[in-house]
Amino acid sequence: YQKNKGFCMAILKIDDQNEIYYEYVAPKPEGKTFVFFNALTGSTAAWTDHIGNKIVKEGNGYLAYNFRGQEKSKFDKGLLLDTEVIVSDSVRLINSLNLKNMILVGLSIGGLYAALALDKGVKSKGLVLINTLRKNNSRLRWINKTMVNVARYGGTSLLMDFNMPVIASPSFLEQMEPNALNPKNYKGLDEDSGIFKLMEGSLTANWDFDWSKIDIPTVIMTGHYDKVFRIPSDIDDICSTMKNIERIEFPECGHLIPMENPIEFADKINKFSDSLS
């Protein structure tokens, strides 16, 4: 546990084999706390640099944490890291910190996990879904199962190289390329490794979630270079069932908006926070 200037890096211990790593900065008295839900292969690093600094400058705070199976979070090797485990952990962590005035923010499947945390009784002022909305169909199931198989045989390096041209903007690809496309990095994931177990566990996620029941203000962010999960007509259909939404399009970004354009992303969520005051 480290603490300085209101910032702490800490561990929530569940038991001897299970713990959750998190980073937390408390807001100013009038501020909100953004609770960030990672993508499957993500980590706290996605949120805590440019984005975290900009949030704190505006008087808000944040909680970023790693799912069991992600970096620095421990898990029992015998456990299936399924949707129930991941969502229950988020609720446990939020309750342990006694957070109030929250805005839940989820990237990709993290947005579904955030919505399921609301289902479990988490009280939030708002919700931000980043490239989350998609319909459950044979195409999505095929993609999800293939990603697990690619990781099984070539690890996350092959998975990223395989996916990047169809989920990221050209400018982000140029940033990534010097450290990518190296076949020496393609090593299959151990099936007991955290990321593999998380990916396998993600196949339990129910993408037939009823988005119409979310009644808090919600921002839907969509990156146009995401050619894998972005089906505009499906997103339009889902949005048409939702009550209190604002849609923000990022034509110059792909799936990973917080990494591709962290400054604009932070501006948008701070503005959303202001609108809830």
Side-chain angles (χ1 to χ4, degrees):
Y1 180 88
Q2 299 171 357
K3 192 166 185 178
N4 62 331
K5 294 182 182 166
F7 170 76
C8 79
M9 297 159 69
I11 295 286
L12 176 68
K13 187 167 170 153
I14 298 166
D15 58 37
D16 287 345
Q17 289 178 288
N18 296 279
E19 50 190 44
I20 303 165
Y21 169 80
Y22 67 92
E23 299 179 24
Y24 172 61
V25 181
K28 297 261 171 67
E30 298 303 304
K32 312 274 191 318
T33 300
F34 292 98
V35 179
F36 293 116
F37 289 72
N38 293 336
L40 276 185
T41 55
S43 82
T44 56
W47 315 105
T48 52
D49 188 11
H50 295 302
I51 295 168
N53 292 341
K54 226 162 168 8
I55 285 168
V56 172
K57 213 180 253 180
E58 294 282 324
N60 293 311
Y62 66 81
L63 168 66
Y65 76 103
N66 287 341
F67 304 149
R68 275 193 262 182
Q70 292 179 339
E71 201 181 13
K72 299 181 189 167
S73 287
K74 273 171 54 176
F75 67 99
D76 174 352
K77 294 281 192 281
L79 199 60
L80 177 64
L81 297 180
D82 62 6
T83 305
E84 177 59 31
V85 166
I86 302 306
V87 176
S88 297
D89 282 353
S90 69
V91 177
R92 183 195 308 255
L93 181 57
I94 286 165
N95 290 344
S96 78
L97 292 167
N98 195 23
L99 299 183
K100 306 279 185 262
N101 288 330
M102 285 177 288
I103 297 171
L104 307 187
V105 181
L107 172 58
S108 194
I109 198 172
L112 178 62
Y113 294 152
L116 289 166
L118 296 173
D119 247 14
K120 283 188 175 284
V122 167
K123 298 278 178 263
S124 182
K125 301 282 185 194
L127 176 66
V128 179
L129 302 173
I130 310 155
N131 290 313
T132 293
L133 298 182
R134 57 199 77 161
K135 284 189 178 176
N136 186 15
N137 53 32
S138 54
R139 180 183 182 275
L140 180 64
R141 290 190 292 277
W142 185 296
I143 289 166
N144 291 342
K145 287 178 180 174
T146 299
M147 286 190 184
V148 174
N149 289 338
V150 170
R152 179 184 274 117
Y153 290 104
T156 50
S157 293
L158 181 59
L159 183 65
M160 288 301 171
D161 288 356
F162 189 74
N163 266 339
M164 275 297 162
V166 284
I167 65 169
S169 64
S171 59
F172 194 65
L173 279 181
E174 282 169 23
Q175 282 176 51
M176 302 289 284
E177 192 169 354
N179 298 312
L181 304 173
N182 180 355
K184 290 187 178 137
N185 295 334
Y186 301 160
K187 295 181 174 66
L189 288 181
D190 175 347
E191 298 199 7
D192 283 332
S193 70
I195 291 297
F196 187 81
K197 289 183 83 80
L198 262 181
M199 291 186 69
E200 201 174 39
S202 76
L203 299 177
T204 65
N206 178 14
W207 287 100
D208 287 319
F209 183 81
D210 179 6
W211 294 100
S212 70
K213 66 186 173 185
I214 290 177
D215 53 5
I216 56 174
T218 301
V219 172
I220 313 286
M221 292 186 177
T222 308
H224 290 196
Y225 279 104
D226 181 351
K227 307 297 185 191
V228 175
F229 297 110
R230 175 180 175 256
I231 306 290
S233 57
D234 289 355
I235 297 168
D236 290 346
D237 282 353
I238 296 168
C239 286
S240 71
T241 70
M242 297 176 75
K243 299 172 187 70
N244 189 351
I245 64 169
E246 176 192 356
R247 294 183 65 175
I248 301 178
E249 303 293 320
F250 284 81
E252 77 298 342
C253 287
H255 191 67
L256 304 171
I257 294 168
M259 283 129 269
E260 293 179 62
N261 194 342
I263 302 302
E264 191 183 347
F265 172 78
D267 277 342
K268 298 288 191 206
I269 62 173
N270 276 323
K271 282 196 181 103
F272 179 49
S273 169
D274 292 344
S275 77
L276 301 175
S277 298

